[in-house]
Amino acid sequence: MGAIREMTVRQARLCLLKFTQFTWVGYSPNWHHAVIADALDRMLDGDPEYSRLQINMPPQHGKSELASRRFPAYAFGRNPNLAVIATSYSATLAEKMNRDVQRIMDTPEYAELFPESRLNGKNIRTVSGTYLRNSETFEIVGHRGVYQCAGVEGGITGQGGQLL
């Protein structure tokens, strides 16, 4: 691996915006994407000023791509023991985001950045002793990490999470 590639990989492991550009060739961020990514990085790093973050923007400005798709995958790469709970107004949208996060984590680019954070190779609904992987829940193989999603009427009561 060349020096430039090594630097790019190192940056992508530590910066959400660089991660997004590394895992999505052709992604062209605007200034507001950098602001969102920086805030999410600060939250993940434990900055007390960013312990509760709310992003308000008009539709179709990149909130979901950064906060709901790329950020959970990136966060699992940095800490495969995280518990993430993702909710939406509809179960269908929450499950779509779940599958999108899984698709990012299945890419060769993601494996290059975060080889320790991987998913079960098969869609597993409920098999004892096997890491779950379906459109409601997935678990990080070899770690305690879990991603759960639900719509408005879905149940998450009793489920803990560090990222909600």
Side-chain angles (χ1 to χ4, degrees), residues 12 20 38 41 49 59 68 76 91-92 101 104 114 119 121 130 135 140:
T20 301
D38 180 62
D41 277 327
E49 291 187 34
S68 299
F76 280 128
T92 302
V101 173
I104 293 164
F114 302 117
L119 305 176
T130 302
S135 59
I140 307 301

Side-chain angles (χ1 to χ4, degrees), residues 17 28-38 57 66:
L17 196 60
S28 181
N30 203 326
W31 67 269
H32 66 282
H33 299 122
V35 171
I36 293 169
D38 180 62
M57 293 171 45
L66 285 172

Side-chain angles (χ1 to χ4, degrees), residues 91-148:
T92 302
L93 182 58
E95 291 169 4
K96 180 182 181 328
M97 294 295 181
N98 175 324
R99 291 188 304 273
D100 289 344
V101 173
Q102 290 183 48
R103 284 185 195 102
I104 293 164
M105 293 179 72
D106 280 339
T107 65
E109 294 82 7
Y110 188 88
E112 180 180 356
L113 294 176
F114 302 117
E116 294 296 314
S117 296
R118 60 185 183 82
L119 305 176
N120 193 327
K122 296 191 259 180
N123 184 341
I124 303 292
R125 195 87 183 125
T126 56
V127 177
S128 180
T130 302
Y131 290 93
L132 290 177
R133 181 175 184 177
N134 56 61
S135 59
E136 293 90 30
T137 304
F138 66 79
E139 298 170 322
I140 307 301
V141 173
H143 298 278
R144 294 186 316 271
V146 61
Y147 179 106
Q148 298 175 16

